[in-house]
Amino acid sequence: MHVGFIGLGSMGQGMAANLLAAGHDVTVWNRSPEPVKALQAQGARAAETPAEAASEGVVLSMLADDAAVRAVILDGGVLDALPKNGIHANHATISVRLARELTERHAKRKLHYIAAPVFGRPDMAAAGKLNVVCAGHAASLERLQPLFDAVGQRTWPLGDDPVRASVAKIAGNFMLASAIESMAEASALTRAHGVSASDFLEIMTQTLFAAPAYQGYGKLIAESRYEPAGFPVRLGFKDVGLALQAGDDARVPLPFAGVAREALLEALAGGDGERDWASLATIAARRAHLDERDAD
Ligand code: NAP
């Protein structure tokens, strides 16, 4: 299938490469040129503008946040370039508000907006093992299935309203933030009483919390391995903010999200925006002055 792909960041690079590997004809666009060159070397065509990447009628995007989607998709002429019945599938994690606006703005032009956010970090994107949560126009979802198969291990459809996929992704990332913050605080507690984070987290992640999220992030915390980031504090802060905004809009209190937001904000203030969000463990340790205690 001919497909445009916009946004070749940590996630988009691997996804576009997997579309090429599956035999699709991929035209890519990215704001900065380096990732475009890497994809060209793998057989992609380079578009001069985001609009050009959309001109064949099916375009996928994997941009950072709401602001990037507005700048590239709405202000970049993508909707003007898509032919009637064209499809735009957005894989990024964006606000419920913008998902609703995009749904309406595409529909007004007889275009189909598909929300297709993903679970999985850049290594999973590179391996084609993402979990794709999607919602939107049924026939378009069917048309996109071979593309989702190329980037993901499984597709999780949630019906015809794109907002549903957006909110499921936001809620899932809120759960991840809560898991990281709880491991951060609990391992600060054990450290203060002489049990290392790695000993404690090994017990927990091999027993009661033997699930991928706890095991993956628990390992990063146990090894204090926060760079290079798979998912940076900067994007985690964005996503917890999206959960709080979606909660405000629907009158759903999310007290844990407030705690996670403050911890992520503290990390950002300390200049850690590009470290992995598992580095919330260092914030919990700092609040307890653990490093000073160790030095005594
Ligand atoms: P990233 O590495 O920061 O890449 C962001 C992409 O957006 C880059 O292509 C960047 O272009 C582009 N971009 C940002 N601002 C822009 C602007 N104003 N105009 C044009 N392009 C702009 O992020 P990522 O990790 O790939 O994540 C992408 C999305 O997937 C985010 O919504 C994130 O929350 C979500 N997500 C991430 C993960 C993860 O583990 N990383 C997992 C699931 C979902 P440049 O290359 O020019 O900077």
Side-chain angles (χ1 to χ4, degrees):
M1 186 186 311
H2 191 106
V3 56
F5 198 100
I6 293 174
L8 303 171
S10 309
M11 298 291 289
Q13 284 172 34
M15 294 171 75
N18 282 319
L19 290 167
L20 285 165
H24 299 290
D25 185 6
V26 187
T27 301
V28 297
W29 182 87
N30 193 62
R31 176 179 62 179
S32 55
E34 296 78 20
V36 174
K37 287 183 200 137
L39 265 297
Q40 275 181 300
Q42 295 171 63
R45 207 164 65 79
E48 293 288 317
T49 61
E52 188 187 330
S55 59
E56 297 283 341
V58 178
V59 65
L60 312 183
S61 63
M62 190 42 152
L63 293 157
D65 53 19
D66 280 26
V69 172
R70 283 192 186 282
V72 176
I73 304 296
L74 295 177
D75 301 340
V78 166
L79 270 54
D80 297 323
L82 278 169
K84 194 174 162 206
N85 284 319
I87 304 171
H88 167 216
N90 171 24
H91 292 292
T93 311
I94 61 159
S95 69
V96 164
R97 287 183 196 171
L98 183 57
R100 195 166 282 127
E101 181 184 334
L102 287 167
T103 304
E104 287 164 9
R105 290 179 71 163
H106 282 68
K108 256 191 204 144
R109 292 165 181 256
K110 308 257 181 288
L111 303 172
H112 301 295
Y113 174 68
I114 300 295
V118 298
F119 285 107
R121 290 159 60 96
D123 55 337
M124 303 273 274
K129 295 233 164 84
L130 296 170
N131 278 291
V132 182
V133 179
C134 60
H137 179 243
S140 299
L141 288 177
E142 213 171 292
R143 219 173 131 200
L144 292 172
Q145 192 57 53
L147 306 179
F148 295 163
D149 289 341
V151 301
Q153 54 175 299
R154 182 157 174 192
T155 305
W156 302 83
L158 285 177
D160 60 3
D161 181 356
V163 163
R164 291 187 200 145
S166 285
V167 79
K169 171 63 193 174
I170 290 167
N173 272 20
F174 160 56
M175 289 178 70
L176 286 177
S178 305
I180 293 169
E181 179 62 16
S182 74
M183 284 193 288
E185 292 183 24
S187 52
L189 176 64
T190 63
R191 274 182 67 190
H193 290 276
V195 178
S196 70
S198 62
D199 282 350
F200 167 65
L201 290 171
E202 190 183 357
I203 299 168
M204 288 295 104
T205 60
Q206 297 303 317
T207 58
L208 297 173
F209 292 87
Y214 285 96
Q215 288 174 333
Y217 285 112
K219 196 161 191 294
L220 295 184
I221 293 171
E223 295 171 3
S224 302
R225 191 155 43 84
Y226 307 125
E227 282 159 320
F231 190 70
V233 164
R234 158 179 65 86
L235 292 179
F237 180 72
K238 166 196 65 119
D239 288 354
V240 172
L242 296 181
L244 285 163
Q245 185 194 70
D248 288 353
D249 288 353
R251 300 283 181 266
V252 179
L254 299 170
F256 274 15
V259 172
R261 181 187 181 279
E262 291 306 310
L264 288 159
L265 186 58
E266 199 172 329
L268 278 179
D272 290 340
E274 294 306 321
R275 296 178 100 195
D276 199 278
W277 65 340
S279 66
L280 286 185
T282 62
I283 303 292
R286 197 160 61 220
R287 286 174 178 154
H289 297 270
L290 289 180
D291 293 334
E292 292 149 44
R293 294 194 208 186
D294 287 350
D296 287 344

